Amino acid sequence: MGCINHPNLIQLREAGMWKDDLWMAMELMQCSVFNLLYNTTQGLPEPVAVCIARQVLEGLIYLHSKNYMHRDVKCENILLGRDGQVKLGTCVFVTFL
């Protein structure tokens, strides 16, 4: 995860071991799409949904070009920044041949 660098993928800042546990620090985002949908009864406006989907797909295209796949794309792992930037979160990237 530390060698993957794309504007639509969450960045790993630091990782370390403490006893038998792996601790990872990643960049901070404002909320997830799940949080946005949970707090509304209207859903997302179409232009917003299209913008989010486009940025998620750009991140996935980059991962696939590097022979990785995400394996856990869901609204809880689609994170939103204060400036409207969309990033795929979590570290469930695996390589494929």
Side-chain angles (χ1 to χ4, degrees):
M1 187 174 166
C3 61
I4 295 172
N5 187 18
H6 188 272
N8 297 115
L9 300 173
I10 201 80
Q11 294 297 306
L12 178 66
R13 298 290 187 214
E14 188 175 340
M17 293 292 294
W18 186 70
K19 296 185 180 179
D20 289 333
D21 297 320
L22 173 64
W23 290 77
M24 295 188 299
M26 297 179 212
E27 63 184 306
L28 182 64
M29 301 295 283
Q30 174 141 4
C31 69
S32 69
V33 169
F34 175 80
N35 184 263
L36 243 127
L37 292 173
Y38 183 79
N39 290 315
T40 183
T41 58
Q42 301 283 326
L44 296 177
E46 185 177 341
V48 173
V50 168
C51 181
I52 291 170
R54 181 184 53 80
Q55 291 186 62
V56 167
L57 290 171
E58 287 176 4
L60 288 172
I61 289 168
Y62 174 80
L63 278 177
H64 293 175
S65 75
K66 300 295 184 187
N67 291 329
Y68 287 95
M69 62 181 177
H70 190 279
R71 291 192 52 179
D72 199 23
V73 177
K74 59 186 177 185
C75 56
E76 292 96 330
N77 291 333
I78 301 172
L79 306 173
L80 307 173
R82 293 185 187 272
D83 60 354
Q85 189 170 27
V86 177
K87 295 189 179 209
L88 273 171
T90 198
C91 59
V92 187
F93 303 145
V94 296
T95 60
F96 62 91
L97 299 174

